[in-house]
């Protein structure tokens, strides 16, 4: 016969073995409220957020990296055939979209790809301009003799807006127009159709052609050699060298060209030699 212990006979279990269960409540706070609480907690408690101390070495490095661009120079704004800035409108580096004047900019890349060697070549491709390729500048003097301006003054034997030859300026300074236009010493040609007497002080109604001169590069070394031929017996060789003597301080650029202009009538031709030296500080 088995004997089962009654309730009184069970041994007491120490309370340490089975501790009392604790009720834990979890409340989820929205993310927006939590973010606001974290932001305003230092303000409410009066604590001041820690600000990292300024490092004089980093401040000096940032000051040295700052580059001040000159408003009197169009630099790095032209890409390929597209030019976005010009100096012909206001004598300052200004965006073309901010000017009300009719201005066309021919970049150096376009002159090279279209084999433009003088101003008349440029006028064959631009709007409202006529060069020796599509316009004959023939006049009659007081004695009734016919004067061929193409032979006597090829740089001025052109017409803009159907009125007459344009003013020729170099870096916005008026010139006689006798110096040949050559892409070797130019970065761009700006054609402003219409009078600009209030800006340039020369009030030709036809317009102004501004030649943007090339300059030496203070940071990059460059060497270019080119040679070309045409179907009428003409040829041209050119060399362009840029050397920065002192990095970002002093640079020298040398260029030269040997050119022979051929014509269908043989043995006619024209030889020219051009040399340029540019120093930039």
């Amino acid at each position: 016969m088995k004997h089962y212990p009654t309730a009184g006979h069970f041994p007491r279990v120490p309370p340490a073995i089975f501790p009392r269960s604790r009720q834990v409540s979890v409340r989820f706070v929205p993310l927006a409220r939590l973010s606001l609480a974290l932001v305003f907690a230092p303000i409410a408690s009066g604590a001041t957020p820690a600000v990292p101390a300024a490092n004089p070495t980093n401040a000096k490095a940032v000051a040295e990296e700052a580059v001040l661009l000159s408003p009197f120079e169009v630099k790095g704004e032209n890409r390929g055939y597209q030019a976005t800035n010009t100096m012909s409108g206001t004598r300052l580096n200004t965006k073309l979209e901010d000017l009300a004047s009719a201005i066309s900019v021919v970049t150096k890349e376009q002159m090279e790809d279209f084999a433009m060697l003088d101003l008349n070549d440029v006028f064959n491709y631009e709007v409202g301009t006529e060069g020796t390729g599509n316009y004959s500048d023939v006049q009659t003097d007081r004695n009734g003799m016919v004067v061929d301006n193409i032979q006597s003054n090829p740089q001025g034997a052109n017409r803009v807006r159907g009125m007459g030859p344009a003013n020729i300026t170099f870096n916005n300074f008026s010139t006689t127009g006798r110096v040949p236009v050559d892409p070797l010493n130019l970065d761009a040609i700006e054609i402003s159709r219409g009078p600009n007497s209030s800006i340039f002080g020369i009030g030709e109604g036809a317009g102004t052609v501004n030649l943007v001169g090339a300059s030496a590069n203070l940071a990059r070394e460059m060497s270019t050699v080119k040679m070309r031929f045409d179907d009428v017996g003409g040829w041209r060789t050119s060399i362009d060298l840029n050397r920065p003597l002192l990095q970002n301080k002093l640079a020298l650029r040398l260029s030269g060209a040997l050119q022979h202009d051929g014509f269908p009538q043989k043995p006619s031709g024209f030889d020219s030699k051009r040399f340029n030296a540019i120093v930039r500080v």
Side-chain angles (χ1 to χ4, degrees):
M1 183 175 182
K2 294 182 179 181
H3 296 278
Y4 295 93
T6 60
H9 293 85
F10 282 100
R12 292 185 179 181
V13 179
I17 298 178
F18 298 101
R20 294 181 181 180
S21 61
R22 296 181 180 179
Q23 185 178 0
V24 180
S25 61
V26 179
R27 184 176 60 180
F28 295 94
V29 181
L31 183 60
R33 294 177 57 187
L34 181 60
S35 301
L36 292 176
L38 293 177
V39 171
F40 290 101
I43 301 177
S45 61
T48 304
V51 179
N55 191 347
T57 305
N58 296 337
K60 183 179 180 180
V62 173
E64 291 179 353
E65 293 177 358
V67 178
L68 180 62
L69 298 178
S70 172
F72 303 101
E73 181 182 7
V74 177
K75 181 178 180 181
E77 303 293 340
N78 299 339
R79 295 292 183 271
Y81 294 178
Q82 182 183 11
T84 58
N85 288 38
T86 181
M87 293 182 60
S88 291
T90 61
R91 281 186 179 269
L92 299 176
N93 187 8
T94 310
K95 292 184 177 181
L96 284 171
E97 61 185 14
D98 296 335
L99 300 175
S101 305
I103 300 176
S104 301
V105 180
V106 183
T107 62
K108 191 180 187 69
E109 289 80 3
Q110 184 176 356
M111 287 188 286
E112 293 177 353
D113 293 347
F114 282 76
M116 302 176 184
L117 296 179
D118 56 20
L119 191 59
N120 294 293
D121 293 340
V122 175
F123 280 2
N124 288 336
Y125 297 95
E126 295 307 309
V127 179
T129 58
E130 298 171 283
T132 55
N134 50 15
Y135 169 66
S136 297
D137 189 7
V138 179
Q139 298 179 357
T140 304
D141 61 8
R142 61 183 180 179
N143 298 324
M145 301 296 293
V146 177
V147 179
D148 185 8
N149 289 331
I150 298 177
Q151 182 178 3
S152 60
N153 184 19
Q155 289 290 110
N158 48 60
R159 187 167 61 176
V160 180
R161 300 178 66 203
M163 301 181 63
N167 305 306
I168 306 296
T169 63
F170 188 85
N171 288 336
N172 291 324
F173 289 94
S174 180
T175 64
T176 60
R178 297 292 182 177
V179 179
V181 175
D182 194 291
L184 196 62
N185 62 340
L186 297 178
D187 281 340
I189 296 179
E190 302 171 343
I191 304 174
S192 178
R193 299 180 295 277
N196 283 321
S197 58
S198 61
I199 300 175
F200 298 102
I202 43 180
E204 284 288 344
T208 300
V209 177
N210 181 42
L211 309 177
V212 182
S215 62
N217 195 312
L218 296 174
R220 188 177 59 143
E221 184 175 325
M222 179 187 64
S223 301
T224 305
V225 179
K226 297 180 180 180
M227 189 171 187
R228 51 164 285 184
F229 300 90
D230 57 35
D231 57 351
V232 293
W235 54 268
R236 172 186 169 94
T237 60
S238 63
I239 183 172
D240 190 2
L241 304 175
N242 184 87
R243 295 294 184 268
L245 305 180
L246 296 176
Q247 192 72 12
N248 297 326
K249 294 182 179 180
L250 178 63
L252 174 65
R253 184 170 182 175
L254 302 174
S255 59
L258 301 177
Q259 179 176 330
H260 174 76
D261 297 328
F263 299 93
Q265 296 81 9
K266 303 302 180 184
S268 59
F270 184 79
D271 295 327
S272 59
K273 299 178 182 180
R274 297 167 184 171
F275 302 97
N276 304 288
I278 303 172
V279 178
R280 182 177 179 181
V281 180

